[in-house]
Amino acid sequence: MPGSTYSQDTVSEEKKAAQRTSITLFYAVCASFGAAVLWLISFSSPYWLASWEDTRTDQKFLNMGLWTFCFDRYRHPNQQFDRLYSGCNPVWGYEYREIREWMAPWWLMLIQFISVVSFILMNIGLVIDVALYLRIPMEHVLR
């Protein structure tokens, strides 16, 4: 088989060289997959902010995540109705609808929005990284 236009290798040898992936790309895909797993854990974790036992109060804030708040017999001082909040519930759910504006100020909603956008972009980038590592587009080009 004659040599290629750009080198002395045959066309089949050039195809094999083009289909090989670098070890750097492999490590980059592994690192981005690990980062995606860690981001998924932090994205769904209810412990972004937590209280401690030394607060000595009977109305307790337990912990807060990006999407959930946990209270233990909490009474909101500015609320019209005398209601105690207990347990962990989603911010945008039915339970905390009266105090949602107090619990989720504009900066927390901005953090939620940025987190969702970055989560989507990171997963799209991870799919592209895996496609590059597996040389999925290259197989169709080389045929």
Side-chain angles (χ1 to χ4, degrees):
M1 178 161 249
S4 172
T5 307
Y6 300 109
S7 70
Q8 297 302 319
D9 295 334
T10 62
V11 175
S12 63
E13 289 174 356
E14 281 191 2
K15 281 185 180 181
K16 287 179 185 177
Q19 287 177 343
R20 271 187 255 127
T21 59
S22 70
I23 194 69
T24 308
L25 182 62
F26 172 74
Y27 288 138
V29 169
C30 289
S32 63
F33 181 75
V37 169
L38 291 176
W39 181 246
L40 178 65
I41 290 170
S42 70
F43 191 71
S44 59
S45 173
Y47 295 103
W48 280 42
L49 182 65
S51 67
W52 58 93
E53 294 296 323
D54 294 337
T55 54
R56 291 187 176 85
T57 180
D58 56 347
Q59 302 177 22
K60 281 209 251 189
F61 161 77
L62 296 177
N63 53 11
M64 176 197 105
L66 192 59
W67 307 106
T68 59
F69 277 80
C70 298
F71 294 112
D72 181 29
R73 297 183 321 267
Y74 174 74
R75 179 176 287 128
H76 190 63
N78 296 334
Q79 191 175 7
Q80 179 181 2
F81 307 110
D82 191 25
R83 180 172 180 191
L84 291 176
Y85 295 98
S86 292
C88 295
N89 292 302
V91 175
W92 302 106
Y94 180 76
E95 185 71 23
Y96 296 143
R97 69 188 181 285
E98 291 97 2
I99 59 173
R100 184 176 299 138
E101 289 80 20
W102 170 74
M103 288 177 15
W106 66 270
W107 55 267
L108 183 62
M109 288 189 274
L110 182 65
I111 290 172
Q112 288 174 341
F113 176 75
I114 292 171
S115 297
V116 168
V117 169
S118 65
F119 188 71
I120 290 169
L121 291 176
M122 182 183 56
N123 284 324
I124 290 171
L126 186 60
V127 168
I128 292 170
D129 284 348
V130 169
L132 285 174
Y133 178 70
L134 296 177
R135 300 289 185 173
I136 291 173
M138 187 64 72
E139 286 181 8
H140 300 296
V141 170
L142 290 178
R143 285 185 188 173

PDB file of all heavy atoms in Angstrom, residues 110-134:
ATOM      1  N   LEU A 110     -29.778  33.116  43.348  1.00  0.00           N
ATOM      2  CA  LEU A 110     -28.710  33.277  42.371  1.00  0.00           C
ATOM      3  C   LEU A 110     -27.726  32.106  42.452  1.00  0.00           C
ATOM      4  O   LEU A 110     -27.296  31.575  41.421  1.00  0.00           O
ATOM      5  CB  LEU A 110     -27.984  34.606  42.589  1.00  0.00           C
ATOM      6  CG  LEU A 110     -26.869  34.941  41.614  1.00  0.00           C
ATOM      7  CD1 LEU A 110     -27.430  35.141  40.215  1.00  0.00           C
ATOM      8  CD2 LEU A 110     -26.121  36.171  42.080  1.00  0.00           C
ATOM      9  N   ILE A 111     -27.394  31.685  43.651  1.00  0.00           N
ATOM     10  CA  ILE A 111     -26.512  30.528  43.832  1.00  0.00           C
ATOM     11  C   ILE A 111     -27.172  29.267  43.289  1.00  0.00           C
ATOM     12  O   ILE A 111     -26.515  28.435  42.645  1.00  0.00           O
ATOM     13  CB  ILE A 111     -26.130  30.368  45.312  1.00  0.00           C
ATOM     14  CG1 ILE A 111     -25.196  31.494  45.729  1.00  0.00           C
ATOM     15  CG2 ILE A 111     -25.465  29.022  45.566  1.00  0.00           C
ATOM     16  CD1 ILE A 111     -24.917  31.542  47.211  1.00  0.00           C
ATOM     17  N   GLN A 112     -28.470  29.100  43.522  1.00  0.00           N
ATOM     18  CA  GLN A 112     -29.175  27.943  42.976  1.00  0.00           C
ATOM     19  C   GLN A 112     -29.148  27.961  41.453  1.00  0.00           C
ATOM     20  O   GLN A 112     -28.893  26.926  40.815  1.00  0.00           O
ATOM     21  CB  GLN A 112     -30.623  27.925  43.469  1.00  0.00           C
ATOM     22  CG  GLN A 112     -30.771  27.573  44.912  1.00  0.00           C
ATOM     23  CD  GLN A 112     -32.204  27.711  45.401  1.00  0.00           C
ATOM     24  OE1 GLN A 112     -33.026  28.383  44.799  1.00  0.00           O
ATOM     25  NE2 GLN A 112     -32.501  27.055  46.508  1.00  0.00           N
ATOM     26  N   PHE A 113     -29.395  29.123  40.862  1.00  0.00           N
ATOM     27  CA  PHE A 113     -29.382  29.237  39.402  1.00  0.00           C
ATOM     28  C   PHE A 113     -27.999  28.935  38.840  1.00  0.00           C
ATOM     29  O   PHE A 113     -27.859  28.169  37.881  1.00  0.00           O
ATOM     30  CB  PHE A 113     -29.842  30.637  38.983  1.00  0.00           C
ATOM     31  CG  PHE A 113     -29.764  30.876  37.514  1.00  0.00           C
ATOM     32  CD1 PHE A 113     -30.690  30.306  36.662  1.00  0.00           C
ATOM     33  CD2 PHE A 113     -28.750  31.662  36.976  1.00  0.00           C
ATOM     34  CE1 PHE A 113     -30.619  30.515  35.293  1.00  0.00           C
ATOM     35  CE2 PHE A 113     -28.676  31.877  35.619  1.00  0.00           C
ATOM     36  CZ  PHE A 113     -29.611  31.300  34.772  1.00  0.00           C
ATOM     37  N   ILE A 114     -26.967  29.527  39.421  1.00  0.00           N
ATOM     38  CA  ILE A 114     -25.605  29.286  38.937  1.00  0.00           C
ATOM     39  C   ILE A 114     -25.215  27.826  39.123  1.00  0.00           C
ATOM     40  O   ILE A 114     -24.551  27.235  38.267  1.00  0.00           O
ATOM     41  CB  ILE A 114     -24.616  30.234  39.653  1.00  0.00           C
ATOM     42  CG1 ILE A 114     -24.860  31.679  39.208  1.00  0.00           C
ATOM     43  CG2 ILE A 114     -23.176  29.837  39.397  1.00  0.00           C
ATOM     44  CD1 ILE A 114     -24.102  32.704  40.003  1.00  0.00           C
ATOM     45  N   SER A 115     -25.651  27.219  40.216  1.00  0.00           N
ATOM     46  CA  SER A 115     -25.348  25.804  40.456  1.00  0.00           C
ATOM     47  C   SER A 115     -26.018  24.901  39.428  1.00  0.00           C
ATOM     48  O   SER A 115     -25.404  23.947  38.943  1.00  0.00           O
ATOM     49  CB  SER A 115     -25.787  25.399  41.855  1.00  0.00           C
ATOM     50  OG  SER A 115     -25.080  26.104  42.818  1.00  0.00           O
ATOM     51  N   VAL A 116     -27.250  25.195  39.085  1.00  0.00           N
ATOM     52  CA  VAL A 116     -27.951  24.385  38.089  1.00  0.00           C
ATOM     53  C   VAL A 116     -27.299  24.535  36.716  1.00  0.00           C
ATOM     54  O   VAL A 116     -27.066  23.540  36.014  1.00  0.00           O
ATOM     55  CB  VAL A 116     -29.453  24.755  38.036  1.00  0.00           C
ATOM     56  CG1 VAL A 116     -30.129  24.157  36.830  1.00  0.00           C
ATOM     57  CG2 VAL A 116     -30.145  24.300  39.298  1.00  0.00           C
ATOM     58  N   VAL A 117     -26.981  25.762  36.338  1.00  0.00           N
ATOM     59  CA  VAL A 117     -26.344  25.995  35.033  1.00  0.00           C
ATOM     60  C   VAL A 117     -24.973  25.319  34.978  1.00  0.00           C
ATOM     61  O   VAL A 117     -24.636  24.663  33.983  1.00  0.00           O
ATOM     62  CB  VAL A 117     -26.242  27.509  34.741  1.00  0.00           C
ATOM     63  CG1 VAL A 117     -25.361  27.782  33.537  1.00  0.00           C
ATOM     64  CG2 VAL A 117     -27.615  28.098  34.530  1.00  0.00           C
ATOM     65  N   SER A 118     -24.192  25.447  36.035  1.00  0.00           N
ATOM     66  CA  SER A 118     -22.864  24.813  36.027  1.00  0.00           C
ATOM     67  C   SER A 118     -22.974  23.296  36.061  1.00  0.00           C
ATOM     68  O   SER A 118     -22.158  22.601  35.446  1.00  0.00           O
ATOM     69  CB  SER A 118     -22.024  25.323  37.193  1.00  0.00           C
ATOM     70  OG  SER A 118     -22.595  24.932  38.414  1.00  0.00           O
ATOM     71  N   PHE A 119     -23.975  22.755  36.738  1.00  0.00           N
ATOM     72  CA  PHE A 119     -24.185  21.308  36.760  1.00  0.00           C
ATOM     73  C   PHE A 119     -24.523  20.797  35.358  1.00  0.00           C
ATOM     74  O   PHE A 119     -23.990  19.777  34.910  1.00  0.00           O
ATOM     75  CB  PHE A 119     -25.294  20.969  37.748  1.00  0.00           C
ATOM     76  CG  PHE A 119     -25.476  19.509  37.997  1.00  0.00           C
ATOM     77  CD1 PHE A 119     -24.539  18.789  38.702  1.00  0.00           C
ATOM     78  CD2 PHE A 119     -26.593  18.854  37.514  1.00  0.00           C
ATOM     79  CE1 PHE A 119     -24.707  17.441  38.932  1.00  0.00           C
ATOM     80  CE2 PHE A 119     -26.781  17.517  37.739  1.00  0.00           C
ATOM     81  CZ  PHE A 119     -25.833  16.803  38.448  1.00  0.00           C
ATOM     82  N   ILE A 120     -25.376  21.503  34.646  1.00  0.00           N
ATOM     83  CA  ILE A 120     -25.740  21.100  33.290  1.00  0.00           C
ATOM     84  C   ILE A 120     -24.534  21.202  32.359  1.00  0.00           C
ATOM     85  O   ILE A 120     -24.245  20.267  31.589  1.00  0.00           O
ATOM     86  CB  ILE A 120     -26.914  21.960  32.775  1.00  0.00           C
ATOM     87  CG1 ILE A 120     -28.191  21.601  33.535  1.00  0.00           C
ATOM     88  CG2 ILE A 120     -27.123  21.776  31.273  1.00  0.00           C
ATOM     89  CD1 ILE A 120     -29.339  22.547  33.294  1.00  0.00           C
ATOM     90  N   LEU A 121     -23.806  22.317  32.427  1.00  0.00           N
ATOM     91  CA  LEU A 121     -22.633  22.490  31.568  1.00  0.00           C
ATOM     92  C   LEU A 121     -21.539  21.472  31.874  1.00  0.00           C
ATOM     93  O   LEU A 121     -20.863  20.980  30.964  1.00  0.00           O
ATOM     94  CB  LEU A 121     -22.095  23.909  31.691  1.00  0.00           C
ATOM     95  CG  LEU A 121     -22.975  25.015  31.113  1.00  0.00           C
ATOM     96  CD1 LEU A 121     -22.364  26.376  31.404  1.00  0.00           C
ATOM     97  CD2 LEU A 121     -23.194  24.809  29.633  1.00  0.00           C
ATOM     98  N   MET A 122     -21.368  21.142  33.146  1.00  0.00           N
ATOM     99  CA  MET A 122     -20.360  20.160  33.511  1.00  0.00           C
ATOM    100  C   MET A 122     -20.716  18.779  32.963  1.00  0.00           C
ATOM    101  O   MET A 122     -19.843  18.058  32.469  1.00  0.00           O
ATOM    102  CB  MET A 122     -20.210  20.097  35.025  1.00  0.00           C
ATOM    103  CG  MET A 122     -19.139  19.137  35.470  1.00  0.00           C
ATOM    104  SD  MET A 122     -19.004  18.992  37.229  1.00  0.00           S
ATOM    105  CE  MET A 122     -20.644  18.522  37.670  1.00  0.00           C
ATOM    106  N   ASN A 123     -21.983  18.414  33.009  1.00  0.00           N
ATOM    107  CA  ASN A 123     -22.380  17.114  32.480  1.00  0.00           C
ATOM    108  C   ASN A 123     -22.295  17.067  30.959  1.00  0.00           C
ATOM    109  O   ASN A 123     -21.931  16.032  30.392  1.00  0.00           O
ATOM    110  CB  ASN A 123     -23.787  16.755  32.963  1.00  0.00           C
ATOM    111  CG  ASN A 123     -23.769  16.321  34.407  1.00  0.00           C
ATOM    112  OD1 ASN A 123     -22.838  15.684  34.859  1.00  0.00           O
ATOM    113  ND2 ASN A 123     -24.784  16.691  35.142  1.00  0.00           N
ATOM    114  N   ILE A 124     -22.603  18.171  30.295  1.00  0.00           N
ATOM    115  CA  ILE A 124     -22.422  18.222  28.838  1.00  0.00           C
ATOM    116  C   ILE A 124     -20.941  18.087  28.495  1.00  0.00           C
ATOM    117  O   ILE A 124     -20.560  17.342  27.583  1.00  0.00           O
ATOM    118  CB  ILE A 124     -23.016  19.523  28.268  1.00  0.00           C
ATOM    119  CG1 ILE A 124     -24.536  19.480  28.347  1.00  0.00           C
ATOM    120  CG2 ILE A 124     -22.564  19.752  26.826  1.00  0.00           C
ATOM    121  CD1 ILE A 124     -25.198  20.799  28.020  1.00  0.00           C
ATOM    122  N   GLY A 125     -20.084  18.784  29.234  1.00  0.00           N
ATOM    123  CA  GLY A 125     -18.643  18.664  29.022  1.00  0.00           C
ATOM    124  C   GLY A 125     -18.133  17.261  29.295  1.00  0.00           C
ATOM    125  O   GLY A 125     -17.238  16.771  28.596  1.00  0.00           O
ATOM    126  N   LEU A 126     -18.704  16.594  30.279  1.00  0.00           N
ATOM    127  CA  LEU A 126     -18.289  15.223  30.583  1.00  0.00           C
ATOM    128  C   LEU A 126     -18.675  14.275  29.452  1.00  0.00           C
ATOM    129  O   LEU A 126     -17.892  13.391  29.088  1.00  0.00           O
ATOM    130  CB  LEU A 126     -18.915  14.771  31.899  1.00  0.00           C
ATOM    131  CG  LEU A 126     -18.471  13.422  32.443  1.00  0.00           C
ATOM    132  CD1 LEU A 126     -16.972  13.437  32.702  1.00  0.00           C
ATOM    133  CD2 LEU A 126     -19.214  13.089  33.708  1.00  0.00           C
ATOM    134  N   VAL A 127     -19.845  14.464  28.872  1.00  0.00           N
ATOM    135  CA  VAL A 127     -20.252  13.634  27.738  1.00  0.00           C
ATOM    136  C   VAL A 127     -19.327  13.874  26.543  1.00  0.00           C
ATOM    137  O   VAL A 127     -18.917  12.931  25.859  1.00  0.00           O
ATOM    138  CB  VAL A 127     -21.733  13.915  27.377  1.00  0.00           C
ATOM    139  CG1 VAL A 127     -22.099  13.312  26.046  1.00  0.00           C
ATOM    140  CG2 VAL A 127     -22.647  13.389  28.460  1.00  0.00           C
ATOM    141  N   ILE A 128     -18.961  15.120  26.312  1.00  0.00           N
ATOM    142  CA  ILE A 128     -18.038  15.438  25.215  1.00  0.00           C
ATOM    143  C   ILE A 128     -16.658  14.843  25.483  1.00  0.00           C
ATOM    144  O   ILE A 128     -16.019  14.295  24.579  1.00  0.00           O
ATOM    145  CB  ILE A 128     -17.966  16.961  24.994  1.00  0.00           C
ATOM    146  CG1 ILE A 128     -19.290  17.467  24.440  1.00  0.00           C
ATOM    147  CG2 ILE A 128     -16.820  17.338  24.062  1.00  0.00           C
ATOM    148  CD1 ILE A 128     -19.417  18.962  24.403  1.00  0.00           C
ATOM    149  N   ASP A 129     -16.190  14.910  26.735  1.00  0.00           N
ATOM    150  CA  ASP A 129     -14.889  14.306  27.084  1.00  0.00           C
ATOM    151  C   ASP A 129     -14.886  12.806  26.844  1.00  0.00           C
ATOM    152  O   ASP A 129     -13.923  12.258  26.307  1.00  0.00           O
ATOM    153  CB  ASP A 129     -14.546  14.585  28.544  1.00  0.00           C
ATOM    154  CG  ASP A 129     -14.085  15.994  28.774  1.00  0.00           C
ATOM    155  OD1 ASP A 129     -13.813  16.696  27.789  1.00  0.00           O
ATOM    156  OD2 ASP A 129     -14.016  16.409  29.958  1.00  0.00           O
ATOM    157  N   VAL A 130     -15.946  12.140  27.253  1.00  0.00           N
ATOM    158  CA  VAL A 130     -16.022  10.685  27.053  1.00  0.00           C
ATOM    159  C   VAL A 130     -16.089  10.362  25.570  1.00  0.00           C
ATOM    160  O   VAL A 130     -15.464   9.400  25.107  1.00  0.00           O
ATOM    161  CB  VAL A 130     -17.228  10.102  27.833  1.00  0.00           C
ATOM    162  CG1 VAL A 130     -17.488   8.667  27.445  1.00  0.00           C
ATOM    163  CG2 VAL A 130     -16.978  10.200  29.329  1.00  0.00           C
ATOM    164  N   ALA A 131     -16.838  11.170  24.801  1.00  0.00           N
ATOM    165  CA  ALA A 131     -16.891  10.940  23.351  1.00  0.00           C
ATOM    166  C   ALA A 131     -15.516  11.126  22.714  1.00  0.00           C
ATOM    167  O   ALA A 131     -15.133  10.369  21.821  1.00  0.00           O
ATOM    168  CB  ALA A 131     -17.912  11.873  22.709  1.00  0.00           C
ATOM    169  N   LEU A 132     -14.769  12.126  23.171  1.00  0.00           N
ATOM    170  CA  LEU A 132     -13.413  12.317  22.642  1.00  0.00           C
ATOM    171  C   LEU A 132     -12.493  11.172  23.046  1.00  0.00           C
ATOM    172  O   LEU A 132     -11.656  10.725  22.259  1.00  0.00           O
ATOM    173  CB  LEU A 132     -12.839  13.639  23.141  1.00  0.00           C
ATOM    174  CG  LEU A 132     -13.385  14.897  22.486  1.00  0.00           C
ATOM    175  CD1 LEU A 132     -12.834  16.126  23.201  1.00  0.00           C
ATOM    176  CD2 LEU A 132     -13.043  14.923  21.024  1.00  0.00           C
ATOM    177  N   TYR A 133     -12.634  10.702  24.262  1.00  0.00           N
ATOM    178  CA  TYR A 133     -11.782   9.603  24.721  1.00  0.00           C
ATOM    179  C   TYR A 133     -12.073   8.312  23.955  1.00  0.00           C
ATOM    180  O   TYR A 133     -11.166   7.581  23.589  1.00  0.00           O
ATOM    181  CB  TYR A 133     -11.960   9.384  26.220  1.00  0.00           C
ATOM    182  CG  TYR A 133     -11.135   8.233  26.721  1.00  0.00           C
ATOM    183  CD1 TYR A 133      -9.759   8.331  26.788  1.00  0.00           C
ATOM    184  CD2 TYR A 133     -11.732   7.035  27.094  1.00  0.00           C
ATOM    185  CE1 TYR A 133      -8.991   7.274  27.216  1.00  0.00           C
ATOM    186  CE2 TYR A 133     -10.977   5.973  27.530  1.00  0.00           C
ATOM    187  CZ  TYR A 133      -9.602   6.097  27.585  1.00  0.00           C
ATOM    188  OH  TYR A 133      -8.858   5.044  28.009  1.00  0.00           O
ATOM    189  N   LEU A 134     -13.353   8.056  23.719  1.00  0.00           N
ATOM    190  CA  LEU A 134     -13.721   6.840  22.995  1.00  0.00           C
ATOM    191  C   LEU A 134     -13.568   6.980  21.483  1.00  0.00           C
ATOM    192  O   LEU A 134     -13.784   6.020  20.751  1.00  0.00           O
ATOM    193  CB  LEU A 134     -15.156   6.446  23.338  1.00  0.00           C
ATOM    194  CG  LEU A 134     -15.399   6.064  24.793  1.00  0.00           C
ATOM    195  CD1 LEU A 134     -16.864   5.776  25.023  1.00  0.00           C
ATOM    196  CD2 LEU A 134     -14.540   4.888  25.204  1.00  0.00           C
TER     197      LEU A 134
END
